[in-house]
Amino acid sequence: MKTTKGFLIICQGNPIYGEMAYNLAVTLRATGNHFPICLVYNDSAISRLSKEQHNFFTDKILMDEHFINIRLKLPEITPYDYTLALDCDLLWLNKDAGELFNILDSIDFTVENFGYINTNGETDGDNEYLHWANFEDIENAYPIEGRLYKCCNSFILFKKSEKVNELFKLWAEIQSQPKCKYIEWCNSCPDEFSLNIALNLLKLEPHKSRWRVGKWLLGDATYFPISHHAKDYYAINAGGNIKTRRDIEYYNLTAQAAFDKLNLPFNFKLKSKRDHIKERIKM
């Protein structure tokens, strides 16, 4: 039986997320990625999408839950054997996603990450990302040993397996009852905090330390041409609360090129979430 492979995008709440999910789907198709796209959505998130725009999603699953709760159920939700779960605020560049799915021929799970800190003092990475809690507090609260990764859940690659089911079960347990103080995000415990710990406790690791799949737009003083980033990254990442004028221009130029390739109007320009989403205003 042929292994099914596909993308999964979670899209909940504000219509901005539906707009970005559609932009992502268009860039996936414009760059020749033929794999099916599953949208996990609620009605408010897709309220601005037309019937024609809905057609860019091969499969659609209606779920009205917090996006973190949905992420913790990915193995039971996904219709595919091999799944690449993507944040909706990405745009795909020119690389073939088949290269990523091939990774799952030899492993069960991997995730974008910014390196790790080892309990023996070894480090691989920098201060570009965080564990969402003090490392010593995590050590005191959990029996961690070895590498504690700094995962970024914008890219989660997994296949259906018992090992993955075990990981997601423990991930959900840690998420529901954190045992140490953490840095709150969107009025919740960040799910990256709990994934980091679950991977360590199960002696699992991403297939590669500092596996950077997306180029973050973080108000950089200068940007290389899109073609330059396409050599090193699969996508650009417009996550975060505030986007600078340069971030917005770079995102819009990237999206416009994909829409032009498919002869489609580009209607959904990037917006800073803090300006449009109530719960983000004070962040």
Side-chain angles (χ1 to χ4, degrees), residues 20 23 91 216-220 223 226 236-256 266 268-276:
M20 291 190 293
N23 289 347
L91 292 178
W216 280 74
L217 300 183
L218 296 171
D220 302 47
Y223 284 117
I226 295 167
I236 61 169
N237 191 330
N241 206 31
I242 303 171
K243 294 291 104 181
T244 67
R245 178 181 60 83
R246 289 188 63 82
D247 291 337
I248 292 170
E249 288 176 353
Y250 197 82
Y251 176 99
N252 290 342
L253 284 170
T254 305
Q256 185 72 65
F266 175 41
F268 301 134
K269 307 298 191 291
L270 181 65
K271 304 177 181 73
S272 280
K273 298 187 184 84
R274 193 178 70 171
D275 297 334
H276 297 273

Side-chain angles (χ1 to χ4, degrees), residues 31-272:
T31 51
N33 287 287
H34 62 278
F35 300 100
I37 305 171
C38 177
L39 184 71
V40 182
Y41 70 98
N42 68 354
D43 289 332
S44 62
I46 62 168
S47 59
R48 295 176 187 163
L49 299 187
S50 67
K51 181 178 179 181
E52 290 73 21
Q53 290 166 338
H54 280 239
N55 291 337
F56 271 81
F57 303 102
T58 319
D59 303 289
K60 290 186 288 185
I61 300 173
L62 177 62
M63 290 185 70
D64 197 356
E65 296 186 36
H66 192 282
F67 76 93
I68 288 180
N69 293 337
I70 294 174
R71 189 176 274 158
L72 294 170
K73 300 175 182 176
L74 284 177
E76 55 191 275
I77 293 170
T78 180
Y80 315 123
D81 298 317
Y82 286 12
T83 300
L84 177 56
L86 300 169
D87 273 359
C88 62
D89 40 19
L90 304 169
L91 292 178
W92 203 261
L93 295 175
N94 295 323
K95 287 183 178 289
D96 178 10
E99 300 172 4
L100 297 179
F101 288 117
N102 290 341
I103 296 172
L104 292 175
D105 290 339
S106 56
I107 62 168
D108 290 54
F109 178 94
T110 194
V111 59
E112 185 176 39
N113 68 88
F114 290 78
Y116 59 81
I117 297 178
N118 198 311
T119 52
N120 66 12
E122 174 199 12
T123 62
D124 179 36
D126 48 37
N127 295 322
E128 195 171 357
Y129 210 56
L130 67 167
H131 287 109
W132 296 100
N134 182 278
F135 182 76
E136 289 73 23
D137 289 347
I138 297 174
E139 274 192 300
N140 292 332
Y142 297 92
I144 64 170
E145 184 177 350
R147 297 173 176 178
L148 187 71
Y149 277 86
K150 295 184 284 187
C151 295
C152 175
N153 291 345
S154 296
F155 294 84
I156 300 177
L157 185 63
F158 68 94
K159 66 184 176 187
K160 291 186 176 181
S161 71
E162 288 304 315
K163 187 181 294 185
V164 166
N165 291 341
E166 183 183 10
L167 170 62
F168 275 76
K169 180 181 178 181
L170 181 58
W171 183 5
E173 290 173 359
I174 297 170
Q175 180 71 23
S176 66
Q177 292 185 314
K179 294 181 180 179
C180 70
K181 184 179 179 180
Y182 55 83
I183 301 170
E184 192 173 278
W185 177 255
C186 290
N187 303 315
S188 178
C189 175
D191 58 336
E192 291 164 348
F193 161 85
S194 45
L195 176 59
N196 296 336
I197 297 169
L199 286 169
N200 179 278
L201 295 180
L202 292 176
K203 307 302 181 189
L204 297 175
E205 297 187 24
H207 78 291
K208 181 180 180 182
S209 179
R210 303 182 72 179
W211 185 48
R212 303 292 302 278
V213 195
K215 164 61 181 172
W216 280 74
L217 300 183
L218 296 171
D220 302 47
T222 59
Y223 284 117
F224 289 105
I226 295 167
S227 58
H228 175 89
H229 287 139
K231 297 176 184 177
D232 300 318
Y233 298 98
Y234 285 84
I236 61 169
N237 191 330
N241 206 31
I242 303 171
K243 294 291 104 181
T244 67
R245 178 181 60 83
R246 289 188 63 82
D247 291 337
I248 292 170
E249 288 176 353
Y250 197 82
Y251 176 99
N252 290 342
L253 284 170
T254 305
Q256 185 72 65
F259 278 81
D260 288 348
K261 188 173 183 178
L262 297 182
N263 295 315
L264 294 170
F266 175 41
N267 297 322
F268 301 134
K269 307 298 191 291
L270 181 65
K271 304 177 181 73
S272 280

